């Protein structure tokens, strides 16, 4: 498995880590190559490039693999994998998982690179259908959601665990990063989450809110976070957690509602995790959401539907883990 891997936060790393763990537990001989290791040497633009360029040598100097499963983004990384395959794969089958929207990959170079793979897995429903004919026959839609064999609280910091376990009011959970750009200002909707809290307060609906926010340490992000902290100052029912590697899955069993007010999105692992743990989800309509998600298209709907989920607690549709579908792909290779 060539992918970002835990302890890195993010859907790709978490999904790949669980795939690795489940395969190990089922007796598969599985290895992994972490393209974004938690190492100062490699956590620089040059270091990450060198780490990626080393992939063919890693494969060449190790035992023969039957399958090499890549979770790499972008066109040029896939081109590099396609270029080195004849020299180092030693007959191994190549699988690419395409995380997020495939439309940016519908260019000649990416299509040519992906044509060298034996199988393409698209995590978004319907993405395999938009691929060119050259790739359709080898593509399949399989969401990235994989449940671990065991869910524990071991990795959750004690202050967060105390806050969610000793709640007095319904618990609303928000997780996101600070991403500010010309296309999507406040991409994850941090301010939208606080707007929801203040709306509930104005309606005299008591809730608690856990805000898990990650961001890079630069002037723009720090300024944004200062404004966020000013907005929630003096609110005892909000716990703000900054830049901590927190496993979300165990928190969902204590939460009543998970909100995902994103301006754009892929197949969100967190949405599927929440539903699987019987936590209600209200999410924006900016991506295809799994069955059971309550979807809104404007802020008024966001507030109204969130209040309904908290007060009325509608039934939650049981979610499927897609581990066995990926394992079937391996067996077919």
């Amino acid at each position: 498995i060539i992918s970002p891997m835990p302890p890195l936060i993010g859907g790709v790393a978490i999904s790949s880590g669980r795939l690795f763990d489940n395969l190990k537990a089922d007796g598969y001989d599985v290895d992994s190559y972490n393209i974004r290791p938690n190492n100062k040497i490699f956590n620089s633009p040059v270091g990450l490039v060198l780490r990626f360029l080393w992939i063919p040598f890693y494969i060449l100097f190790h035992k023969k693999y039957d399958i090499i499963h890549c979770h790499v983004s972008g066109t040029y990384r896939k081109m590099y994998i396609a270029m080195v395959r004849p020299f180092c794969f030693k007959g191994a089958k190549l699988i690419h998982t395409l995380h997020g929207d495939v439309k940016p990959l519908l260019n000649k170079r990416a299509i040519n690179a992906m044509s060298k793979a034996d199988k393409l897995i698209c995590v978004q429903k319907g993405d395999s259908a938009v691929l060119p004919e050259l790739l359709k026959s080898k593509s399949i839609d399989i969401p990235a959601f994989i449940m671990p064999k065991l869910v524990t609280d071991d990795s959750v910091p004690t202050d967060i665990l105390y806050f969610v376990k000793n709640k007095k009011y319904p618990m609303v959970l928000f997780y996101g990063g600070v991403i500010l750009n010309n296309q999507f200002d406040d991409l994850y909707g941090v301010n939208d989450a606080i707007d929801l809290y203040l709306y509930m307060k104005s309606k005299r609906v008591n809730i608690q809110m856990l805000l898990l926010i990650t961001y890079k340490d630069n002037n723009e992000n720090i300024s944004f976070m200062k404004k966020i902290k000013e907005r929630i100052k003096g609110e005892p029912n909000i716990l703000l957690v900054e830049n901590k590697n927190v496993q979300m899955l165990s928190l969902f069993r204590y939460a009543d509602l998970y909100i995902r007010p994103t301006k754009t999105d892929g197949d969100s692992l967190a949405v599927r995790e929440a539903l699987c743990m019987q936590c209600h989800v209200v999410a924006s309509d900016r991506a295809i959401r799994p069955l059971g998600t309550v979807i809104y298209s404007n802020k008024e709907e966001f507030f109204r539907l969130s209040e309904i989920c908290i007060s009325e607690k509608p039934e939650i549709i049981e979610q499927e883990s897609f581990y066995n579908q990926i394992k079937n792909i391996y067996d077919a290779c």
Side-chain angles (χ1 to χ4, degrees), residues 87-105:
F87 306 105
C88 63
F89 273 38
K90 296 178 280 190
K93 300 291 185 180
L94 172 61
I95 299 173
H96 277 296
T97 289
L98 311 180
H99 293 271
D101 190 354
V102 299
K103 291 184 183 66
L105 296 173

Side-chain angles (χ1 to χ4, degrees), residues 33-306:
Y33 185 89
N34 189 354
I35 59 175
R36 293 188 65 89
N38 188 22
N39 184 307
K40 287 183 179 179
I41 296 173
F42 294 114
N43 276 332
S44 68
V46 174
L48 291 172
V49 169
L50 291 174
R51 178 74 177 171
F52 200 86
L53 291 175
W54 183 251
I55 288 172
F57 302 99
Y58 181 91
I59 296 169
L60 193 61
F61 297 146
H62 281 70
K63 60 190 174 185
K64 181 186 181 299
Y65 298 107
D66 296 304
I67 296 168
I68 294 174
H69 189 170
C70 293
H71 302 255
V72 300
S73 61
T75 295
Y76 291 104
R77 293 181 182 91
K78 292 178 180 64
M79 286 173 61
Y80 180 65
I81 295 293
M83 181 181 70
V84 302
R85 180 182 182 181
F87 306 105
C88 63
F89 273 38
K90 296 178 280 190
K93 300 291 185 180
L94 172 61
I95 299 173
H96 277 296
T97 289
L98 311 180
H99 293 271
D101 190 354
V102 299
K103 291 184 183 66
L105 296 173
L106 299 182
N107 60 75
K108 187 176 180 179
R109 287 174 175 170
I111 291 167
N112 184 57
M114 291 187 291
S115 71
K116 303 299 190 291
D118 297 284
K119 200 73 179 178
L120 300 172
I121 299 174
C122 303
V123 301
Q124 287 213 65
K125 185 178 179 181
D127 269 5
S128 61
V130 305
L131 292 173
E133 292 299 325
L134 177 66
L135 303 178
K136 277 184 182 177
S137 61
K138 61 176 68 181
S139 66
I140 186 172
D141 293 342
I142 303 178
F145 176 56
I146 295 173
M147 275 294 288
K149 297 287 185 182
L150 183 65
V151 180
T152 70
D153 296 334
D154 295 345
S155 64
V156 182
T158 53
D159 58 331
I160 298 175
L161 207 54
Y162 181 85
F163 184 75
V164 296
K165 276 189 169 183
N166 296 279
K167 62 183 182 182
K168 296 178 180 178
Y169 308 114
M171 178 67 61
V172 178
L173 182 57
F174 170 87
Y175 168 78
V178 176
I179 298 181
L180 311 168
N181 55 41
N182 294 331
Q183 187 179 9
F184 300 113
D185 183 51
D186 189 12
L187 187 149
Y188 277 94
V190 180
N191 276 305
D192 293 329
I194 297 169
D195 288 344
L196 174 65
Y197 177 87
L198 297 175
Y199 167 81
M200 293 292 189
K201 186 177 179 181
S202 71
K203 298 277 287 186
R204 301 187 186 279
V205 178
N206 290 317
I207 63 170
Q208 290 179 226
M209 182 172 282
L210 174 60
L211 299 171
L212 300 168
I213 302 175
T214 60
Y215 57 93
K216 291 181 179 179
D217 192 11
N218 61 47
N219 289 337
E220 187 179 23
N221 291 347
I222 291 171
S223 175
F224 177 86
M225 286 304 300
K226 281 182 179 178
K227 292 175 183 175
I228 292 299
K229 290 172 186 176
E230 193 62 35
R231 292 194 70 193
I232 63 176
K233 188 176 179 180
E235 294 292 347
N237 291 324
I238 294 181
L239 176 63
L240 171 63
V241 179
E242 301 174 80
N243 287 330
K244 280 192 179 179
N245 185 359
V246 181
Q247 294 295 326
M248 297 277 291
L249 187 59
S250 62
L251 294 177
F252 287 130
R253 55 184 166 184
Y254 303 111
D256 299 276
L257 175 64
Y258 171 58
I259 54 173
R260 192 155 180 97
T262 52
K263 309 298 189 299
T264 185
D265 217 341
D267 184 80
S268 170
L269 183 66
V271 168
R272 293 184 184 274
E273 285 182 342
L275 293 170
C276 193
M277 300 303 288
Q278 294 296 294
C279 174
H280 292 92
V281 177
V282 174
S284 64
D285 62 355
R286 303 307 172 91
I288 297 172
R289 304 296 188 181
L291 196 63
T293 311
V294 178
I295 302 170
Y296 72 88
S297 58
N298 56 58
K299 189 166 279 191
E300 184 180 289
E301 282 187 351
F302 177 42
F303 293 165
R304 180 175 58 83
L305 294 173
S306 296

